[in-house]
Amino acid sequence: MAESVQEKVIRIIAEQAVLDVSDVHPHSTLQELGIDSLGLVESIFAIEEAFDISVPFNANEPGKSDFDISSVAAIVAAVEGLVAQKAA
Amino acid sequence: MRRVVITGAGTINPLAHDVPGTFAAFREGRCGIGPLDIRDKDRLAIQIGAQVKGWEAEAHFNRQQITLYDRFTQFALIAAKQAVEQSGLNFDGHLGYEAGAVLGTAGGGLITSDENFRTVYEEGKNRVHPFVVPKLMNNAAASHLSMEWNLRGPTFSVATACASANHAMGLAFQMVRSGAARAMLTGGSEAMLCFGGIKAWEGLRVMSRDSCRPFSANRSGMVQGEGAAVFVFEEYEHARKRGAQILAEVAGFAMTADAGDIVTPSSQGGERAMTGALRDARLNPEDVGYINAHGTGTAANDKAECAAVAHAFGQHADRLMISSTKSMHGHLIGGTGAVELLACLMALKDGVIAPTIGYEEPDPECALDVVPNVAREARVTACLSNAFAFGGLNAVIALKAV
């Protein structure tokens, strides 16, 4: 069975955080996982490459960006949205 | 220890092709940032930059010279010509042995690299022009200055990312002060506005897509620029005896390393560089009327820099002026400190403080007098110019009126 968006995103985040995928939960925040601003920029790059999407994110105004990074679940939902947009 | 003064200044940057034009733009708060005009722009996410406009290399250099001069070398040569002519120095005789050139640049001949990578990788050609190496090398501009002006003393390039020009000028200052040289050409040059040069910066996600608004709560990041400024640093007695016009005294310099993060700045590193420059210049914090900020317009820089100023200057931080001219000429990366030193010269010589344009909303973490949007008349007798580079390398120059 193909990997779901959530599984793929969690795999990317786990790799960035140097954690096992089982330690990354939907409710986890990037801060809890020890991912700093540079780690975030790298994760977004990996997500863009994995899903062939373009993520609207500017490190200067992360709060204002349309891409919600408040938790792993939020990131998964945002990526699902962008993947759906691409398909549409 | 000898005193060091500036007796010549030259520049080509997104605002103007000379110093008087740049001062006029600073006074008017004019913006040099606009839509990029480069090859393959449609494949870039970032569509704006501060380019040098109306530049025709053919009007200044012959065909053979252009074969050897990358755009960053061209800019350095033009800026140096203006500076040397203003200084009135002649290096043909003995002075040439006591003079050199130290120039800052981060990318060197990056456009030459970019163009030739295309040739071999994209177009699949198996041959490049014979002068690719001497054209792209980081020290090309410094070397061509030495050849153009017969400078036979210490000559080299300095590459410390966004602090390159300040490190270069600091070293030139120390050489004249110590007696290792009597006069130095120094400053910085950068020409990184090509597809690869911008694409690399895009990756960091700190670039603005609209404008550069340092210290403004609604800032959206940095904007790249290009250009050069070159100065003549001269031993004071030498300048005085020949009746040279003195633009300012280079009073002090300090450099520090954060020893922390490769991109995130530390306010302590910047603070130590500022207090170090004051100590080196024998200035009290209260003597400083103006700071030309590094002020990139990224959240990380602006907040750390304002905290550093607050700590370094204490209560006086609320009385001094600090502006970021990057809002007008963009971030010239390795050349930026040199163009920004011009704003310090203007403050000391003309009593006009260049503004931070694009300022829209106060940021409580940057609660200093950032000279928002409009230039201001003020009497200033000492100023600092900050440069804080990726890699955590900080270099601050102190200037005094003479």
Side-chain angles (χ1 to χ4, degrees):
Chain A
M1 206 178 86
E3 209 178 13
S4 72
V5 169
Q6 173 159 321
E7 285 164 346
K8 242 181 181 172
V9 168
I10 285 181
R11 186 168 49 76
I12 288 166
I13 290 173
E15 193 182 335
Q16 188 66 44
V18 201
L19 291 171
D20 197 271
V21 285
S22 61
D23 294 325
V24 178
H25 309 287
H27 57 80
S28 309
T29 66
L30 296 183
Q31 206 179 357
E32 286 165 6
L33 298 172
I35 293 180
D36 63 6
S37 59
L38 268 190
L40 171 61
V41 168
E42 270 197 273
S43 306
I44 289 176
F45 169 70
I47 287 169
E48 287 181 325
E49 289 286 291
F51 294 96
D52 190 22
I53 54 174
S54 184
V55 173
F57 178 82
N58 181 336
N60 292 294
E61 35 185 11
K64 280 183 208 160
S65 152
D66 294 331
F67 192 75
D68 187 352
I69 52 161
S70 56
S71 68
V72 171
I75 294 173
V76 170
V79 172
E80 281 169 347
L82 289 168
V83 171
Q85 263 178 38
K86 191 182 77 164
Chain B
M1 294 245 281
R2 295 153 178 87
R3 289 173 68 188
V4 184
V5 291
I6 301 177
T7 54
T11 188
I12 172 162
N13 65 64
L15 297 170
H17 292 196
D18 57 18
V19 173
T22 304
F23 282 6
F26 282 166
R27 275 192 216 101
E28 294 162 20
R30 201 190 309 145
C31 187
I33 296 167
L36 278 169
D37 175 19
I38 62 162
R39 189 172 163 187
D40 288 340
K41 178 186 163 184
D42 54 323
R43 286 180 54 212
L44 290 171
I46 303 302
Q47 298 277 317
I48 58 166
Q51 287 180 290
V52 167
K53 291 159 207 89
W55 174 244
E56 286 173 34
E58 297 75 15
H60 299 274
F61 307 113
N62 65 37
R63 194 184 147 274
Q64 270 172 311
Q65 288 172 319
I66 291 171
T67 305
L68 280 165
Y69 299 166
D70 180 89
R71 191 170 167 93
F72 96 105
T73 297
Q74 297 174 16
F75 290 161
L77 282 162
I78 291 302
K81 183 168 190 284
Q82 296 168 12
V84 173
E85 282 173 358
Q86 181 179 27
S87 77
L89 281 177
N90 183 333
F91 299 100
D92 288 342
H94 189 68
L95 184 61
Y97 289 91
E98 297 183 302
V102 182
L103 280 188
T105 183
L110 196 83
I111 291 178
T112 298
S113 304
D114 203 56
E115 284 171 354
N116 286 282
F117 282 151
R118 268 185 205 285
T119 305
V120 294
Y121 295 140
E122 186 179 313
E123 295 162 19
K125 290 192 180 160
N126 288 325
R127 192 182 296 121
V128 296
H129 190 279
F131 298 157
V132 170
V133 169
K135 198 172 174 184
L136 68 77
M137 64 191 187
N138 203 280
N139 59 308
S143 293
H144 283 297
L145 288 199
S146 79
M147 289 181 262
E148 182 69 23
W149 299 101
N150 190 44
L151 312 172
R152 293 167 182 262
T155 296
F156 56 95
S157 55
V158 175
T160 49
C162 311
S164 303
N166 270 21
H167 275 116
M169 295 188 292
L171 291 177
F173 160 64
Q174 291 178 339
M175 282 179 203
V176 176
R177 185 165 69 170
S178 71
R182 199 172 290 276
M184 295 291 291
L185 295 192
T186 187
S189 182
E190 199 74 75
M192 208 181 262
L193 294 177
C194 55
F195 183 77
I198 297 165
K199 185 52 82 181
W201 277 99
E202 270 183 19
L204 273 168
R205 294 178 183 265
V206 295
M207 307 293 285
S208 171
R209 292 172 193 233
D210 44 32
S211 70
C212 181
R213 301 190 292 276
F215 308 122
S216 191
N218 65 349
R219 70 175 77 71
S220 54
M222 57 175 272
V223 176
Q224 270 180 275
E226 63 173 358
V230 174
F231 302 90
V232 176
F233 283 13
E234 185 176 354
E235 194 260 315
Y236 171 67
E237 287 300 330
H238 189 269
R240 197 183 56 83
K241 277 185 197 144
R242 65 185 188 90
Q245 187 200 3
I246 292 173
L247 305 178
E249 176 168 1
V250 188
F253 172 63
M255 41 188 163
T256 64
D258 293 346
D261 191 273
I262 196 70
V263 291
T264 309
S266 111
S267 62
Q268 289 91 341
E271 176 193 344
R272 287 191 299 118
M274 283 187 270
T275 52
L278 291 177
R279 216 167 30 242
D280 192 48
R282 297 199 171 84
L283 287 168
N284 294 314
E286 305 77 57
D287 298 330
V288 174
Y290 171 64
I291 300 174
N292 184 283
H294 190 54
T296 56
T298 62
N301 173 84
D302 292 1
K303 290 173 198 288
E305 183 165 21
C306 289
V309 169
H311 282 125
F313 286 88
Q315 288 195 327
H316 185 64
D318 295 328
R319 287 188 289 268
L320 55 76
M321 293 167 281
I322 175 169
S323 70
S324 170
T325 49
K326 286 189 179 76
S327 55
M328 294 180 269
H329 53 62
H331 193 335
L332 275 67
I333 316 294
T336 210
V339 171
E340 290 165 32
L341 202 70
L342 293 169
C344 292
L345 285 186
M346 187 173 81
L348 295 171
K349 254 178 73 12
D350 299 352
V352 178
I353 309 298
T356 305
I357 69 164
Y359 187 81
E360 292 171 358
E361 276 178 44
D363 176 352
E365 287 185 72
C366 301
L368 299 171
D369 178 359
V370 300
V371 196
N373 300 320
V374 181
R376 198 181 301 165
E377 286 191 16
R379 218 182 98 74
V380 169
T381 53
C383 38
L384 296 186
S385 186
N386 286 348
F388 306 141
F390 274 177
L393 308 184
N394 312 297
V396 176
I397 296 177
L399 292 189
K400 275 199 316 199
V402 175

